[in-house]
Amino acid sequence: MVVTSIRLPSSLASLSSHTIRFSWHRSATSLPSYALPLFRPPFQVRLRSVSAEEDSEVQLSADQSEMIFMGTGTSEGIPRVSCLTNPLKKCPVCSKATEPGNKNRRLNTSILIRRLSSSGSCNILIDVGKFFYQSALRWFPTLGIRTLDGVVITHSHADAIGGLDDLRDWTNNVQPSIPIYVAERDFEVMKKTHYYLVDTSVVIPGAAVSKLQFNIISEEPFFVHGLKITPLPVWHGQGYRSLGFRFGDVCYISDVSDIPEETYPLLKDCEILILDALRPDRSSSTHFGLPRAIEEVRKIQPKRTLFTGMMHLMDHEEINGYLAKFMESEGLDIQLSYDGLRIPVKL
């Protein structure tokens, strides 16, 4: 076993003045001790199965489904090309992200819900960003995922809808069409950014484009293949509405700068909270930073929290080392997510 100390970067100085000590075993299938509470019942994950690259065969019970983190990064992704080509300054996180299997490598924020039920299984994707093809290429063959039974959209920025065109591979070669669930305001954006997918009459005869079925959703609950999904309205910058979603006892809020008071009752009794946390020191005008995200965890009181949407100032191991102290001091189970993380859930 290796024991080491990490001095938090200056950007975290306001959060902690202490050196965080943690340990891990050299076995590739072991997790640091502070990660273990994430995998307690009722979610019981085999430790070897938390990463798709480590083990493609998560053993689920008959009543379990799973979430797969397709991406956990910002719009430009990590590593940044600008960091890797900078001759004057080395970016530690982007440099680490070039290493095979490093958890700092992050594509556009998105999750896939693999739901198992008595009637079969279905795959529901939340957001299809501009790096969707790379995410699907990385995880779908490994995990044996072939069909997409629905795509739910949080908002109409490029990192949430930029991959709509890539869905042609599925509708041309796997299945006749894919239903898209989107708010009216975001559908209006799609009419401009992806006009040829909304109005296929403009497509040249014989051309192959994604065949999508657009379903307009409001801020009321709706169903996708029998799964009840409850929208969680939030602000993603002043005056810009985005949606989080609740399915079962999982609450997913990927892009948020403020949570309206009327949304908090929808977060009650949340088992797993997946929440936006862009940077370690402060919030931006459109995203929670780590301090604000932690404040929201205290307010919402989920059993477990996974932060997502991290930029290149968020080093996976260093930040997780810092977050470990909240379990000891406040009983808050908080970690950073990472691309390929798999969490069994009951839906």
Side-chain angles (χ1 to χ4, degrees):
M1 182 175 69
V2 179
V3 178
T4 189
S5 298
I6 286 183
R7 177 69 62 181
L8 296 182
S10 58
S11 60
L12 281 173
S14 62
L15 299 178
S16 175
S17 60
H18 303 288
T19 298
I20 304 299
R21 296 182 61 85
F22 62 96
S23 62
W24 68 92
H25 292 273
R26 292 190 181 275
S27 169
T29 61
S30 295
L31 291 175
S33 59
Y34 59 76
L36 296 181
L38 178 65
F39 306 109
R40 293 184 311 221
F43 301 102
Q44 297 186 353
V45 176
R46 291 185 306 146
L47 295 185
R48 295 184 63 246
S49 304
V50 297
S51 170
E53 288 182 332
E54 294 172 358
D55 191 340
S56 63
E57 297 183 358
V58 170
Q59 293 183 349
L60 303 174
S61 63
D63 60 348
Q64 277 186 321
S65 301
E66 69 171 330
M67 296 183 298
I68 303 166
F69 287 74
M70 301 295 294
T72 58
T74 53
S75 185
E76 69 270 88
I78 300 172
R80 290 182 175 180
V81 175
S82 60
C83 288
L84 299 182
T85 58
N86 188 343
L88 301 178
K89 182 180 179 181
K90 180 179 179 180
C91 173
V93 174
C94 288
S95 297
K96 290 179 183 179
T98 64
E99 302 168 358
N102 191 280
K103 291 183 174 64
N104 287 301
R105 185 175 184 86
R106 304 173 183 132
L107 299 177
N108 293 162
T109 298
S110 172
I111 63 169
L112 183 79
I113 305 165
R114 299 181 79 178
R115 187 184 183 223
L116 303 180
S117 66
S118 58
S119 59
S121 64
C122 68
N123 301 312
I124 302 170
L125 184 70
I126 298 184
D127 284 342
V128 54
K130 56 188 181 179
F131 293 153
F132 168 69
Y133 169 77
Q134 289 94 326
S135 296
L137 185 65
R138 187 176 182 186
W139 306 121
F140 280 25
T142 300
L143 302 178
I145 299 169
R146 181 163 174 80
T147 60
L148 282 173
D149 299 289
V151 177
V152 183
I153 302 298
T154 61
H155 66 301
S156 53
H157 287 167
D159 57 350
I161 67 170
L164 285 170
D165 187 78
D166 292 322
L167 297 178
R168 69 173 68 192
D169 188 16
W170 280 260
T171 61
N172 291 340
N173 303 305
V174 179
Q175 58 196 84
S177 64
I178 297 176
I180 309 295
Y181 299 84
V182 58
E184 177 69 39
R185 58 183 173 272
D186 299 311
F187 183 59
E188 292 300 317
V189 174
M190 292 178 181
K191 287 180 179 179
K192 301 174 182 178
T193 60
H194 295 82
Y195 65 93
Y196 59 98
L197 300 181
V198 175
D199 180 9
T200 57
S201 66
V202 302
V203 178
I204 298 173
V209 300
S210 306
K211 299 179 182 64
L212 308 178
Q213 299 172 340
F214 293 96
N215 301 273
I216 305 302
I217 61 174
S218 64
E219 294 182 354
E220 297 298 322
F222 60 99
F223 289 84
V224 180
H225 283 266
L227 176 64
K228 181 181 179 180
I229 300 179
T230 301
L232 304 171
V234 296
W235 297 112
H236 182 27
Q238 186 175 4
Y240 187 90
R241 197 78 151 178
S242 181
L243 293 177
F245 297 102
R246 179 169 185 154
F247 42 96
D249 291 327
V250 178
C251 295
Y252 178 82
I253 304 177
S254 61
D255 294 79
V256 56
S257 59
D258 196 32
I259 301 177
E261 284 301 320
E262 61 267 24
T263 297
Y264 284 106
L266 302 174
L267 301 171
K268 186 178 179 182
D269 299 324
C270 174
E271 291 275 350
I272 298 179
L273 174 66
I274 303 165
L275 186 63
D276 189 13
L278 176 68
R279 54 186 297 148
D281 50 352
R282 59 177 175 81
S283 297
S284 72
S285 61
T286 53
H287 292 274
F288 284 165
L290 191 61
R292 174 66 185 278
I294 293 171
E295 289 179 12
E296 294 296 333
V297 172
R298 292 187 177 112
K299 185 172 183 177
I300 298 168
Q301 288 289 313
K303 289 189 176 180
R304 297 168 181 83
T305 300
L306 290 162
F307 290 145
T308 192
M310 291 80 67
M311 68 180 300
H312 71 154
L313 298 180
M314 297 278 276
D315 181 275
H316 184 84
E317 294 298 335
E318 288 189 11
I319 299 298
N320 265 351
Y322 167 72
L323 293 175
K325 79 184 187 76
F326 289 94
M327 172 58 77
E328 300 173 2
S329 62
E330 302 181 46
L332 299 178
D333 190 346
I334 313 173
Q335 290 181 284
L336 298 188
S337 60
Y338 58 88
D339 292 21
L341 175 64
R342 306 172 69 183
I343 304 292
V345 295
K346 293 183 178 181
L347 299 175

